[in-house]
């Protein structure tokens, strides 16, 4: 099921969204006014599909992907609240945006678990290896399930295993435990002989 279908299955009234999509198609600058209104106009409850997405996430992503000119998207991210930023992060894999890496890096500097998780999703392929490793380390520190990290096993390397082992040692010394999925990742990396 695609995002538009999943969203329309949840919404009882699609008039506002349909009008907003048409408006953005004709007047791209209208996105600055419509994007923040999505939560109020469409709702904020969780969708059945895709898992972890809310109605406003999906509606905002549809608005962003309907733009022919994506030059406003970095501003929407910069000036948005957490829900608006998360929607931009979730839309990034569907967009051709020169600022993708900078937006992802900004999200990884936050302490908002939702933004960090979104930044480590499919768009994380745009991150340098060093920044991506730091993002994974931050996710472990924040106790974010590593299942949220896209391409984890493909990108994980010996350097990440060393970093995670160091974090595990620090946590042990502080009397705290390391998340099981992080320990399992270290074992998988070591088993590959990296």
């Amino acid at each position: 099921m695609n995002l538009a279908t999943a969203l329309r299955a949840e919404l009882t009234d699609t008039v506002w969204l349909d009008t907003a999509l048409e408006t953005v198609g004709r007047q791209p600058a209208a996105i600055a006014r419509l994007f923040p209104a999505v939560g109020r106009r469409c709702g904020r409850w969780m969708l059945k599909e895709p898992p972890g997405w809310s109605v406003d996430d999906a509606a905002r992503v549809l608005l962003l992907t309907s733009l022919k000119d994506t030059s406003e998207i970095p501003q929407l991210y910069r000036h948005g609240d957490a829900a608006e930023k998360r929607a931009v992060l979730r839309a990034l894999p569907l967009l051709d945006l020169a600022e993708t890496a900078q937006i992802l890096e900004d999200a990884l500097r936050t302490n908002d678990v939702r933004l960090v998780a979104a930044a480590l999703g499919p768009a994380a392929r745009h991150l340098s290896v060093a920044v991506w490793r730091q993002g994974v380390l931050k996710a472990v520190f924040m106790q974010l399930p590593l299942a949220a990290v896209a391409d984890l096993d493909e990108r994980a390397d010996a350097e990440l295993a060393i970093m995670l082992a160091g974090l595990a040692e620090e946590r042990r010394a502080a009397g705290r435990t390391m998340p099981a999925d992080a320990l399992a990742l270290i074992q998988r990396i070591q088993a590959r002989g990296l």
Side-chain angles (χ1 to χ4, degrees):
M1 180 182 303
N2 73 24
L3 192 57
T5 305
L7 179 58
R8 290 184 189 288
E10 290 285 329
L11 294 178
T12 56
D13 179 8
T14 63
V15 173
W16 184 88
L17 179 59
D18 291 337
T19 303
L21 288 166
E22 181 184 319
T23 301
V24 167
R26 285 183 290 106
Q27 304 166 357
I31 191 81
R33 174 178 49 87
L34 297 170
F35 194 70
V38 169
R40 290 186 308 278
R41 301 306 303 249
C42 294
R44 294 181 175 93
W45 66 89
M46 299 306 289
L47 291 172
K48 291 180 183 118
E49 291 291 327
W53 282 58
S54 62
V55 168
D56 58 321
D57 284 334
R60 285 187 175 110
V61 168
L62 290 178
L63 279 173
L64 293 172
T65 57
S66 72
L67 286 170
K68 290 174 182 64
D69 175 12
T70 58
S71 63
E72 292 294 316
I73 293 176
Q75 289 289 54
L76 293 172
Y77 175 83
R78 213 171 350 272
H79 298 295
D81 64 16
E84 293 163 28
K85 288 181 178 193
R86 184 180 62 222
V88 170
L89 292 164
R90 287 188 162 170
L92 288 175
L94 307 171
L95 302 169
D96 183 22
L97 198 62
E99 297 88 346
T100 296
Q102 293 95 324
I103 291 171
L104 294 169
E105 289 173 21
D106 181 78
L108 290 174
R109 286 190 292 270
T110 71
N111 288 321
D112 188 322
V113 174
R114 298 165 302 167
L115 296 183
V116 172
L120 291 171
R125 69 181 181 271
H126 294 281
L127 293 170
S128 70
V129 175
V131 172
W132 179 82
R133 283 187 203 118
Q134 287 296 326
V136 173
L137 201 63
K138 183 167 189 166
V140 171
F141 182 78
M142 296 175 88
Q143 298 191 355
L144 177 70
L146 291 182
V149 180
D151 304 322
L152 180 63
D153 284 321
E154 292 82 8
R155 290 190 78 179
D157 59 9
E159 183 65 28
L160 179 60
I162 291 167
M163 294 166 73
L164 289 170
L167 178 61
E169 186 55 40
E170 287 177 22
R171 292 180 74 91
R172 233 183 327 274
R176 297 181 9 222
T177 60
M178 186 76 163
D181 57 355
L183 293 173
L185 176 60
I186 295 169
Q187 290 175 345
R188 288 194 309 272
I189 295 169
Q190 290 172 341
R192 292 191 328 224
L194 297 177

